[in-house]
């Protein structure tokens, strides 16, 4: 029989060019691997002898000290040499799945509901505009500039406070931090109902931005403590998908409020209805949201052990409330964070435009104000479905950039339709589906992308709000793109949105390529690291030799 030998992690027959790859099976466990033979028999031309695959397989197993568990077609599922028996390994896998379900049942409902009301409270101005807010407290606002400033003042405080708030959040228990921000923005939103002029409304919106700045960027950091990179995309989609749900739900609430006959203006009722629940939810968050994996009382001792091990797969987590100052500096020096900011800028320009002005845009299609409120629901509902499907596929393939490129192009096509189609209202309505689906999907994916690719907790706590803060400048721009004076065509707003969507698509593609090149370089220089093994990121963060990016 021909000799077999090990060569740089690949098994080769001396006389065979084809390699037999041994790769981790990330869908099951880092301790399980699969061997792809990619052939049904081996033949030695010089001896004219066929070798039985099972014989070769047994030789490979002996060479690596492995034990086979199953053989199906061309795939052999193997077990690495381990002190644990197959039954113990299986039990551990099942226990981990039970842990993930337990975390999902507690974390996701709280985080998603918090984001639902956070997004409702920041975006309900668009609905309030159609319910008479400018006429009641802005003297009619014939140019639309006062309304634009009320909408954009939120983003000024939101931008300024994101980085310091998220870094400081590492020094507090997560449940206390999240609860306090929710109570703060809920009170701010409710107080908007008491405004009788431009100044008080500006003040309420400013404080709304301060409190929400401590929540939005902190959630991806919090999720990364409990979920692996193979799970983050879908969980972030569930969370950010509630922004789309908020758009749909906000349209339904506004449609209902439009038909209320109260002693106060309808828009004031709207602010109260959407503000008070955030305060109540903040109180519940303090009691029910789990703290960090190593300290939460929500998990048992064995569950905490598994959770901490998961937190350190392909990276390494901190222990306790600490901030690594060197990693704060690393974040400010990382060019990829700034490219992410460019992407997020374009996306948030579109998002701010859509959330504040979609009802107004729909009135240009010939619908009444009440029907325009109702017709905002389907685009958001479809956006949530597209976001979930793209995120699920991205998790399975462990690729973010290509999916983001595609979704940005979808949003850009929507703006192109609004620019070029002027008479067909059905096509223009379809364009709003493209814009919401492309924009929401890309935002959900980029948050999941950076939640892993920055390496350490402190760099995530700095880098995530950094690119978000840069991107929120696009929200300020977006809130000024649709003044009444330029309606109903809004050509400038649509053209800028279109250009920024396609610019974001180009940046997504370039980032994905750069991550792939860097991964390949590290594989050449340092060799391929063990799949899901702990990577020490304490000193170098994502620059650690064994760290690999998700492209």
């Amino acid at each position: 029989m021909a000799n077999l030998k090990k060569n740089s992690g690949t098994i080769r027959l001396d006389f065979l060019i084809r390699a037999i790859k041994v790769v981790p099976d990330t869908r099951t466990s880092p301790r399980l691997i699969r061997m792809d033979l990619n052939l049904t028999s081996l033949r030695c031309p010089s001896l004219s002898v066929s070798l039985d695959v099972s014989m070769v397989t047994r030789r490979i197993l002996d060479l690596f000290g492995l034990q086979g568990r199953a053989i199906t077609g061309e795939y052999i599922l193997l077990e690495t040499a381990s002190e644990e028996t197959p039954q113990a390994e299986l039990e551990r896998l099942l226990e981990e799945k039970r842990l993930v379900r337990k975390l999902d049942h507690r974390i996701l409902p709280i985080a998603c509901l918090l984001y639902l009301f956070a997004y409702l409270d920041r975006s309900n101005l668009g609905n309030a505009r159609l319910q008479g807010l400018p006429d009641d407290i802005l003297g009619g606002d014939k140019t639309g500039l006062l309304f634009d400033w009320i909408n954009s003042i939120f983003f000024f405080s939101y931008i300024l406070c994101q980085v310091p708030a998220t870094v400081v959040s590492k020094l507090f228990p997560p449940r206390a931090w999240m609860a306090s921000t929710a109570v703060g923005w809920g009170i701010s939103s409710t107080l908007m109902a008491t405004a009788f002029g431009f100044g008080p409304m500006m003040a309420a919106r400013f404080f709304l931005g301060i409190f929400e700045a401590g929540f939005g960027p902190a959630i991806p950091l919090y999720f990364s403590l409990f979920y692996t990179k193979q799970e983050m995309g879908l969980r972030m989609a569930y969370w950010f998908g509630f922004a789309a749900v908020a758009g749909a739900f906000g349209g339904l609430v506004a449609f209902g409020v439009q038909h209320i006959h109260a002693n106060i203006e309808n828009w004031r009722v709207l602010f109260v209805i959407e503000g008070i629940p955030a305060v109540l939810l903040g109180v519940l968050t303090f009691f029910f949201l789990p703290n960090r994996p190593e300290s939460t009382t929500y998990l048992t001792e064995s569950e905490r052990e598994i959770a901490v091990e998961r937190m350190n797969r392909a990276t390494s987590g901190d222990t306790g409330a600490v901030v690594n100052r060197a990693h704060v500096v690393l974040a400010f020096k990382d060019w990829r964070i700034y490219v992410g900011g460019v992407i997020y800028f374009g996306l948030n320009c579109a998002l701010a435009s859509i959330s504040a002005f979609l009802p107004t845009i729909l009135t240009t299609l010939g619908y009444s104000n009440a029907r325009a409120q109702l017709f905002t629901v389907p685009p958001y509902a479809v956006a949530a479905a597209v976001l979930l499907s793209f995120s699920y596929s991205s998790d399975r393939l462990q690729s973010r950039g290509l999916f983001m490129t595609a979704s940005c192009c979808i949003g850009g096509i929507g703006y192109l339709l609004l620019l070029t189609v002027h008479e067909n209202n059905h096509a223009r309505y379809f364009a709003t589906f493209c814009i919401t689906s492309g924009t929401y999907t890309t935002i959900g994916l980029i948050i999941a992308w950076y939640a892993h690719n920055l390496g350490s907790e402190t760099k995530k706590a700095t880098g995530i709000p950094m690119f978000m803060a840069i991107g929120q400048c696009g929200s300020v721009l977006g809130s000024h793109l649709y003044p009444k004076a330029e309606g109903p065509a809004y050509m400038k707003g649509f053209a800028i949105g279109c250009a920024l969507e396609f610019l974001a698509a180009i940046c997504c593609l370039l980032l994905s390529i750069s991550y792939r090149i860097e991964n390949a370089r590290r594989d050449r220089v340092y060799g391929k690291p063990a799949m899901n093994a702990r990577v020490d990121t304490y000193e170098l963060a994502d620059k650690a030799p064994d760290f690999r990016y998700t492209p």
Side-chain angles (χ1 to χ4, degrees):
M1 179 179 174
N3 293 326
L4 294 131
K5 65 182 180 180
K6 179 180 177 183
N7 181 17
S8 300
T10 303
I11 303 299
R12 295 181 184 278
L13 292 173
D14 289 344
F15 53 82
L16 192 68
I17 297 176
R18 268 194 258 186
I20 299 172
K21 297 179 181 178
V22 180
V23 295
D25 189 344
T26 58
R27 292 173 297 176
T28 52
S29 164
R31 290 193 175 91
L32 298 179
I33 62 174
R34 84 178 174 277
M35 186 177 299
D36 185 3
L37 297 177
N38 204 23
L39 42 88
T40 55
S41 66
L42 304 173
R43 180 177 296 277
C44 175
S46 61
L47 299 177
S48 299
V49 176
S50 292
L51 302 178
D52 185 79
V53 172
S54 62
M55 180 169 57
V56 176
T57 301
R58 286 196 299 274
R59 182 69 183 90
I60 293 171
L61 295 177
D62 293 341
L63 185 65
F64 276 90
L66 302 172
Q67 295 179 342
R69 288 188 60 182
I71 299 176
T72 306
E74 297 178 349
Y75 293 89
I76 303 173
L77 193 62
L78 303 170
E79 207 180 83
T80 60
S82 171
E83 296 179 359
E84 292 186 337
T85 64
Q87 184 62 32
E89 175 66 17
L90 180 60
E91 284 296 328
R92 187 171 179 84
L93 289 174
L94 293 176
E95 188 175 359
E96 182 174 337
K97 289 183 178 179
R98 288 194 293 268
L99 170 63
V100 173
R101 285 197 297 269
K102 183 176 181 179
L103 293 172
D104 285 345
H105 291 161
R106 177 62 66 89
I107 293 174
L108 289 181
I110 295 175
C112 290
L113 285 175
L114 282 172
Y115 197 57
L116 170 67
F117 287 106
Y119 202 80
L120 279 176
D121 290 340
R122 82 167 68 167
S123 62
N124 52 18
L125 271 183
N127 301 116
R129 185 185 206 183
L130 296 183
Q131 293 175 350
L133 183 149
D135 293 328
D136 293 333
I137 66 171
L138 301 179
D141 191 24
K142 294 181 180 180
T143 63
L145 291 178
L146 294 179
F147 178 84
D148 289 349
W149 279 110
I150 289 175
N151 187 44
S152 60
I153 189 63
F154 164 88
F155 298 106
F156 286 111
S157 56
Y158 192 69
I159 291 166
L160 291 173
C161 296
Q162 278 190 90
V163 173
T166 309
V167 173
V168 170
S169 73
K170 287 188 86 288
L171 303 177
F172 294 89
R175 67 178 185 181
W177 182 266
M178 301 297 181
S180 61
T181 59
V183 171
W185 87 63
I187 292 174
S188 299
S189 179
T190 305
L191 289 177
M192 288 166 60
T194 66
F196 284 90
F198 177 72
M201 184 63 76
M202 288 281 284
R205 290 280 295 179
F206 184 82
F207 281 99
L208 181 69
I210 291 176
F211 287 109
E212 289 206 21
F215 169 72
I219 282 290
L221 176 65
Y222 176 72
F223 273 30
S224 70
L225 302 178
F226 292 98
Y227 295 111
T228 66
K229 64 178 182 177
Q230 289 85 8
E231 300 162 348
M232 274 293 289
L234 190 58
R235 269 69 185 185
M236 291 309 306
Y238 288 143
W239 176 71
F240 188 72
F242 268 72
V245 172
F249 184 65
L252 290 174
V253 172
F255 181 75
V257 171
Q258 189 91 356
H259 295 84
I260 290 179
H261 301 287
N263 293 326
I264 60 175
E265 295 89 345
N266 286 342
W267 59 267
R268 297 186 191 274
V269 176
L270 180 68
F271 289 149
V272 171
I273 289 176
E274 295 181 351
I276 291 178
V279 178
L280 301 177
L281 187 58
V283 175
L284 293 176
T285 298
F286 180 79
F287 292 102
F288 292 104
L289 188 70
N291 276 326
R292 293 178 57 90
E294 69 270 16
S295 60
T296 180
T297 57
Y298 176 62
L299 304 179
T300 65
E301 188 62 38
S302 62
E303 288 172 338
R304 277 198 296 272
E305 178 185 340
I306 297 174
V308 170
E309 186 269 327
R310 283 164 48 84
M311 183 174 66
N312 287 281
R313 285 184 189 170
T315 183
S316 55
D318 294 337
T319 300
V322 295
V323 173
N324 189 329
R325 296 180 181 178
H327 290 188
V328 174
V329 177
L330 284 177
F332 279 95
K333 293 180 178 180
D334 192 338
W335 66 270
R336 290 188 177 95
I337 293 177
Y338 296 99
V339 175
V342 173
I343 297 170
Y344 213 63
F345 182 94
L347 299 173
N348 274 280
C349 179
L351 188 66
S353 302
I354 288 298
S355 62
F357 298 100
L358 181 59
T360 303
I361 292 171
L362 289 177
T363 60
T364 70
L365 305 185
Y367 302 115
S368 65
N369 284 356
R371 286 176 63 83
Q373 304 276 23
L374 193 59
F375 273 82
T376 61
V377 176
Y380 287 115
V382 172
V386 174
L387 169 61
L388 289 175
S389 62
F390 270 56
S391 298
Y392 175 79
S393 301
S394 175
D395 272 352
R396 295 282 293 184
L397 298 177
Q398 278 300 281
S399 175
R400 309 282 189 215
L402 298 182
F403 286 95
M404 290 167 57
T405 301
S407 57
C408 283
C409 288
I410 292 173
I413 290 170
Y415 277 114
L416 274 178
L417 288 174
L418 290 178
L419 280 169
T420 57
V421 179
H422 303 289
E423 303 299 331
N424 189 333
N425 282 347
H426 294 290
R428 289 170 66 81
Y429 187 47
F430 171 75
T432 65
F433 284 79
C434 294
I435 294 170
T436 53
S437 297
T439 303
Y440 279 93
T441 298
T442 312
I443 291 179
L445 287 174
I446 194 174
I447 295 173
W449 208 8
Y450 280 86
H452 169 74
N453 279 1
L454 296 178
S456 71
E457 282 186 32
T458 300
K459 191 171 181 184
K460 293 174 191 176
T462 309
I464 291 174
M466 267 182 64
F467 83 77
M468 285 186 169
I470 296 170
Q472 291 299 342
C473 296
S475 300
V476 178
L477 173 63
S479 64
H480 288 82
L481 289 182
Y482 298 94
K484 282 185 177 181
E486 296 187 9
Y490 296 117
M491 296 295 288
K492 182 180 73 175
F494 295 150
I496 293 174
C498 179
L500 289 175
E501 288 273 12
F502 283 116
L503 175 62
I506 294 171
C507 290
C508 291
L509 185 59
L510 292 176
L511 264 185
S512 181
I513 292 172
S514 76
Y515 282 135
R516 294 173 193 275
I517 292 174
E518 180 60 20
N519 284 346
R521 186 193 70 81
R522 293 185 188 180
D523 286 345
R524 277 195 318 273
V525 176
Y526 306 110
K528 291 187 177 182
M531 180 64 69
N532 288 334
R534 185 182 187 276
V535 176
D536 186 1
T537 60
Y538 182 77
E539 290 187 7
L540 300 176
D542 58 308
K543 305 301 181 184
D546 286 341
F547 185 85
R548 294 298 180 271
Y549 298 104
T550 300

